[in-house]
Structures are given as structure tokens and as C-alpha cells.
Amino acid sequence: MESTRVDRWLWAVRLTKTRSDAAAACRGGHVRVNDRPAKAATSVSAGDEVRLRAHGITKVVEVTRVIQKRVGAPEAAMCFIDRTPKPPPEALVPVARRDRGAGRPTKRDRRVLDKFRQGQ
């Protein structure tokens, strides 16, 4: 087996939950193979780079083994190398946030906020 469809491979290695989700991602332009937009029928082979944008996260993986059938998670993890860059570190300074719909701050809340802002 030298190559397979990208939607089938994404489903087989468990990067998408269903094959139709993988095909929909391809139709929506969220899948790229070797920095080119990929349709569902685009073939992938070992050594290709696949970018998948799902749930607000862009996954970058390198194909090491081509499979067509869905396999167990440990075996599926050996079919690709995850090259996703690490997310940027969170802000070191804590941000004062209030729950949405909590209304106006009380006098006590205002004092706490002012004290927090003076400490920065």
C-alpha cells in the first residue's frame, strides 16, 4: 500500500472522529498536504506533511505509514510524527476577569480591583 486518500487516512489514524468529518474539513479548506489545499481524494504517502485545522487548533503531522483501516490508538500513533508547534506561553500577569452577566461590581469588588491594579 503506497498511498491512500487523505480523508481516509485522517480517519484511520484518529485525527478526526469520522470519515465524513475528514471529508468536510477537506471541503472547508482546513486540510493541506505538502502546503497545498487538499480535496478528500488527494492521495498521501509516507513522507508527506499534512496540516489539519480542527477545533481551533492546527495539527501538523508527517506521514510515516499509510493505513486505510481504522486501528487501535497505540498503533495509529505510530503512523505519523506530530510536528505541531508548541502553543505560546500563557500571559505571566494574571488578568482580572468577571463572569459575564455578573452585573456591576460592588463597592467591595471595586476596592479589590483597584488594589489589584495598583500592585501591577
Side-chain angles (χ1 to χ4, degrees):
M1 192 175 353
E2 298 173 3
S3 66
T4 187
R5 294 170 55 110
V6 70
D7 63 336
R8 192 171 194 176
W9 186 82
L10 288 171
W11 166 75
V13 297
R14 298 172 176 260
L15 289 177
T16 59
K17 193 170 186 177
T18 64
R19 187 168 169 195
S20 62
D21 284 346
C26 291
R27 276 194 309 273
H30 301 292
V31 178
R32 296 177 74 84
V33 176
N34 296 327
D35 286 330
R36 289 188 168 155
K39 293 183 179 180
T42 302
S43 46
V44 293
S45 56
D48 287 347
E49 179 187 79
V50 178
R51 290 179 183 266
L52 169 69
R53 180 165 167 72
H55 309 293
I57 300 169
T58 302
K59 287 247 190 209
V60 181
V61 296
E62 181 183 334
V63 180
T64 57
R65 197 171 101 206
V66 177
I67 58 173
Q68 292 185 354
K69 301 270 187 189
R70 195 165 172 106
V71 293
E75 192 175 335
M78 292 188 295
C79 294
F80 64 90
I81 300 171
D82 193 2
R83 302 219 187 268
T84 306
K86 300 219 185 244
E90 295 286 327
L92 298 176
V93 179
V95 178
R97 294 191 182 197
R98 291 179 48 83
D99 292 333
R100 190 172 181 95
R104 291 179 59 179
T106 62
K107 196 171 192 175
R108 182 175 180 271
D109 292 339
R110 175 68 73 193
R111 288 185 187 130
V112 171
L113 283 170
D114 289 341
K115 190 175 188 180
F116 175 76
R117 289 181 184 141
Q118 286 176 356
Q120 290 182 351

